[in-house]
Amino acid sequence: MKNKNRENIISVAVFFSITLCLFAPFEIYFANKDEMWFRLSAFWWIPILVCFVVFGCIYTVGSILKNGIKRIYLAICFAMALCMYMQGNFLSLKVGVMNGAQIEWDMYTLRMIGNLIIWLFVIAVWICIAIFKEEIFLKVSKGIAIFLTAVQIVTLLIFFVTLVIKGDYVKNTYTFLSDEGLYKVGKDENVIIFCLDMFDDDYFKAIYENEPDIGNDFEGFTYFSNFTGTYSTTSYSLPHLFTGKIYHNEGTLNEWNDLCTEAGTYVDEFTEAGYDLDIYSIGYSVIPSKYVLEAENYVEAPLYITNYLRFSCDLYQLVACKYFPDMVKPYIWMDGTEFDYWKGYKSESRPYDGTNGSFRDGLIENGVTLSESSRQFKFIHINASHYPYDIDENANDVEKDSVTDVQCARGALRMVQWYLEELKKNGGYDEAVIIITADHGYYWDGVLTSPVCLIKPKGARGVLQINSVPASQVDLPATLIELAGINSVDDYGKSIFEYSQDEDRDRFFYQYYLSETNSSWKWRLIEYKIDSAGNDRENFHLTDNEYTISGTKIPHKMYCKTCNGEYVNKEDEQKEPSRVVHVKRNNYPE
């Protein structure tokens, strides 16, 4: 019996420690490695070390305890390991991508309670079996523990082998876009694009209504009040802004980007015309790699973890978010930026982080000066009005989400104003083409929005003009080409300035939901056609076209529960009447 008990202690301790300490962190890493800045070679030993420590603790305690208490102890350990396995693989509550957005946890209360009941039931059942059916407990728990441990080990081996084959295990140097040259512009001509993340067109309308005199501060600019975006969020919008083309999930995003740049895009027109390319964005993984590599501020340098203890704590907090009961998620949820605190670069250049505070502080410290280059094409992507809202209307730091979205947007716009004032001081303003826009408007699953757009041509004078032509993000390449005067061939469509007020045109928007997470980091695209009359939500109309994550075009209504009256979320309608989530039917062709 002693040998059986020892074997049972070992099997349970191994099952618990491997599930929580080894399999969980590696599984999460492999599933999301493209989103992680660190490679496996930087931290592989941490889960192994933690696994040995936890195994030793469980085994030591189990060896010391008396027989009756020992069975209860082992039953609890085994049941918890089993619950964690089920939670991480089958039961975890999906609340969307960790992107800093506030989660409305109250919406999931019933599901959390149900999840907790499952945990308590499984633990109670195994305690009862251990107390009243010792032989059954020893055999069954040992068998399940060995089987599930083996399954996890084999799965990890497959992950590791795949990673080694792809050559993505060790990378001695890491590449990033630095903040080098952020506050310097060409001495002759410049094209500057401010991409203010999630700066909704409604924000600017609210700001302009409250401060009509703001028009005096944007000398030479035209505000396009009927401007529409193309995608819901950054991951699809940035490639669209750099290529001017629409991605329908054909192949991987990187493959599509490569095909677009091989054929040539408007950015090539600028580099061929002698413009130095500067790209400032933390979303450079979705920007065509050709342009990232050509950017003057592109840096390659060794990368390392600065604090292994704090990194390990964040790693296992991430594990807890997926493998612990849903009831604890509100108290341990992360915003996705925690690991960035422990990112170290062996380089004199500082990585561009896109935060409002860094951009503001650097601008105050450096101002904007002229560089040695003659021409520059600068793309500056700032966190701006993306949640969590961290600056007030005066661009001062505040506690996250302690201000409104409009207040945060006003602060971001104020920083751009300061940049423009610096340009005027050094004489670079008049000959610059400047666009102030966003990758997308306000985002939440099911909400239809449009980004802001203001444009200043070379030599433009006077107060802010308002233009209500039906404009779209797809017009920006042609607009930039025309305003820079570097190509008269009509290869990129029509400039925004060529449209008339009463023109009827097709504008399309592709909606997707980040809550529908998937391993390929692609989302199904629901197509809307936008009336020329305006960019308000009531002018967005379903076309009945939808693109699956594999790029297959399907009839939307045929596969939508919402459109067939099979799904109505009253809570969503009450909180935000304009929010409509189109839920997939069971026969949806994945």
Side-chain angles (χ1 to χ4, degrees):
M1 182 63 72
K2 286 185 178 180
N3 289 333
K4 286 186 177 180
N5 280 333
R6 185 177 296 107
E7 291 175 2
N8 197 250
I9 295 171
I10 293 174
S11 62
V12 169
V14 168
F15 180 36
F16 186 101
S17 57
I18 284 183
T19 299
L20 178 65
C21 307
L22 197 68
F23 180 79
F26 283 138
E27 179 270 327
I28 291 174
Y29 174 77
F30 285 119
N32 302 279
K33 64 183 180 65
D34 291 339
E35 302 300 310
M36 307 291 193
W37 61 261
F38 46 89
R39 291 293 184 266
L40 187 63
S41 56
F43 79 101
W44 63 269
W45 55 273
I46 295 175
I48 294 175
L49 177 62
V50 173
C51 182
F52 273 111
V53 171
V54 172
F55 168 81
C57 292
I58 294 175
Y59 179 80
T60 300
V61 173
S63 301
I64 294 173
L65 294 175
K66 299 297 182 181
N67 194 44
I69 299 176
K70 179 185 296 186
R71 290 203 307 273
I72 296 174
Y73 167 74
L74 292 179
I76 292 173
C77 290
F78 172 77
M80 288 183 65
L82 183 61
C83 286
M84 287 187 292
Y85 179 84
M86 294 189 300
Q87 182 76 21
N89 291 279
F90 309 109
L91 302 178
S92 188
L93 181 64
K94 292 180 173 59
V95 294
V97 179
M98 289 178 173
N99 63 359
Q102 286 189 319
I103 308 297
E104 298 177 17
W105 296 107
D106 292 344
M107 294 173 55
Y108 305 102
T109 300
L110 291 178
R111 292 177 64 177
M112 289 179 177
I113 292 174
N115 180 261
L116 183 61
I117 290 172
I118 292 174
W119 273 69
L120 294 176
F121 175 77
V122 172
I123 293 172
V125 166
W126 282 103
I127 290 176
C128 291
I129 294 174
I131 293 174
F132 300 109
K133 299 288 183 179
E134 181 179 1
E135 284 296 322
I136 293 177
F137 169 71
L138 292 175
K139 290 181 180 180
V140 176
S141 63
K142 179 182 175 182
I144 294 175
I146 292 174
F147 174 74
L148 292 181
T149 298
V151 168
Q152 293 179 100
I153 290 174
V154 170
T155 303
L156 286 179
L157 287 174
I158 293 172
F159 284 150
F160 279 110
V161 170
T162 303
L163 196 68
V164 171
I165 291 174
K166 290 183 176 180
D168 202 24
Y169 171 67
V170 177
K171 193 173 183 183
N172 294 325
T173 60
Y174 293 79
T175 56
F176 59 92
L177 293 172
S178 73
D179 62 359
E180 185 177 341
L182 176 58
Y183 308 105
K184 292 184 178 182
V185 296
K187 56 187 176 183
D188 296 323
E189 298 177 10
N190 298 282
V191 172
I192 304 173
I193 302 172
F194 289 99
C195 182
L196 309 182
D197 207 309
M198 211 166 80
F199 199 119
D200 197 285
D201 183 59
D202 283 348
Y203 299 164
F204 187 80
K205 285 182 169 69
I207 293 168
Y208 189 72
E209 182 179 356
N210 187 54
E211 301 178 54
D213 291 341
I214 198 175
N216 298 321
D217 297 328
F218 290 94
E219 183 181 355
F221 275 89
T222 298
Y223 163 53
F224 290 88
S225 60
N226 186 7
F227 183 82
T228 59
T230 307
Y231 292 103
S232 295
T233 68
T234 306
S235 57
Y236 280 49
S237 296
L238 281 185
H240 176 58
L241 286 171
F242 272 85
T243 64
K245 297 176 174 59
I246 295 177
Y247 174 54
H248 288 135
N249 285 333
E250 311 99 319
T252 67
L253 182 55
N254 287 335
E255 290 171 344
W256 180 81
N257 273 333
D258 289 342
L259 287 174
C260 288
T261 53
E262 283 175 15
T265 75
Y266 78 100
V267 179
D268 296 305
E269 302 285 352
F270 284 94
T271 56
E272 290 171 9
Y275 283 79
D276 288 339
L277 180 62
D278 290 336
I279 301 174
Y280 303 95
S281 174
I282 62 170
Y284 61 88
S285 62
V286 297
I287 296 173
S289 58
K290 173 184 176 182
Y291 301 132
V292 173
L293 294 172
E294 290 178 356
E296 296 292 320
N297 58 315
Y298 172 80
V299 175
E300 187 169 5
L303 185 66
Y304 64 98
I305 297 171
T306 60
N307 189 318
Y308 280 101
L309 178 59
R310 301 294 296 273
F311 174 89
S312 300
C313 291
D314 285 338
L315 180 64
Y316 283 99
Q317 183 178 341
L318 185 62
V319 166
C321 287
K322 183 175 182 181
Y323 282 79
F324 280 19
D326 291 334
M327 192 65 76
V328 305
K329 279 185 170 62
Y331 309 102
I332 60 174
W333 195 249
M334 306 169 75
D335 65 20
T337 63
E338 287 79 4
F339 292 105
D340 289 339
Y341 293 117
W342 323 124
K343 184 194 298 185
Y345 295 85
K346 295 179 180 178
S347 170
E348 294 180 0
S349 299
R350 188 174 64 177
Y352 178 75
D353 64 11
T355 62
N356 292 323
S358 293
F359 181 80
R360 177 204 61 218
D361 293 345
L363 181 58
I364 293 173
E365 179 182 349
N366 299 288
V368 178
T369 59
L370 299 180
S371 69
E372 291 300 316
S373 62
S374 175
R375 295 172 159 184
Q376 286 190 358
F377 182 101
K378 302 181 82 72
F379 183 89
I380 304 174
H381 185 190
I382 311 170
N383 191 63
S385 48
H386 194 292
Y387 39 64
Y389 311 122
D390 59 359
I391 56 171
D392 63 16
E393 62 271 23
N394 295 311
N396 295 318
D397 291 331
V398 293
E399 185 178 347
K400 291 180 179 179
D401 294 319
S402 62
V403 295
T404 67
D405 47 6
V406 176
Q407 286 176 305
C408 185
R410 181 65 187 95
L413 193 61
R414 196 176 299 280
M415 292 192 302
V416 173
Q417 287 177 262
W418 294 342
Y419 198 104
L420 300 181
E421 289 170 5
E422 290 292 319
L423 276 179
K424 291 177 181 178
K425 290 179 184 178
N426 65 37
Y429 187 83
D430 286 346
E431 291 303 307
V433 175
I434 306 172
I435 292 182
I436 302 170
T437 188
D439 44 357
H440 55 90
Y442 170 77
Y443 172 78
W444 200 264
D445 276 1
V447 178
L448 300 167
T449 60
S450 299
V452 70
C453 182
L454 298 94
I455 301 177
K456 187 197 85 69
K458 281 183 187 178
R461 300 284 191 277
V463 298
L464 179 70
Q465 301 296 308
I466 299 178
N467 191 327
S468 61
V469 298
S472 168
Q473 273 184 343
V474 299
D475 305 323
L476 294 181
T479 304
L480 286 164
I481 290 293
E482 180 195 62
L483 296 182
I486 62 173
N487 192 334
S488 60
V489 181
D490 192 20
D491 293 334
Y492 304 95
K494 285 171 61 174
S495 165
I496 285 179
F497 290 95
E498 294 178 8
Y499 286 99
S500 61
Q501 298 287 346
D502 57 352
E503 190 152 355
D504 187 22
R505 63 175 301 204
D506 293 338
R507 296 181 293 174
F508 294 97
F509 179 80
Y510 295 90
Q511 181 187 49
Y512 52 97
Y513 311 133
L514 291 183
S515 59
E516 296 180 351
T517 54
N518 59 81
S519 59
S520 65
W521 287 95
K522 294 197 295 185
W523 288 264
R524 63 188 180 110
L525 303 173
I526 303 168
E527 186 180 79
Y528 288 80
K529 184 178 177 181
I530 308 167
D531 289 343
S532 297
N535 62 358
D536 296 329
R537 294 159 184 80
E538 58 266 23
N539 289 307
F540 285 68
H541 305 287
L542 288 166
T543 66
D544 202 37
N545 291 331
E546 180 172 334
Y547 296 87
T548 69
I549 62 172
S550 62
T552 304
K553 184 178 179 180
I554 62 173
H556 167 73
K557 186 175 181 181
M558 180 185 295
Y559 298 104
C560 178
K561 284 186 177 181
T562 305
C563 292
N564 284 278
E566 300 169 13
Y567 174 86
V568 178
N569 191 327
K570 294 295 183 182
E571 287 188 36
D572 288 348
E573 290 183 355
Q574 291 172 359
K575 290 177 181 176
E576 193 160 6
S578 63
R579 181 184 182 195
V580 179
V581 177
H582 293 275
V583 180
K584 294 183 291 187
R585 298 181 81 176
N586 295 334
N587 63 337
Y588 188 85
E590 294 291 352

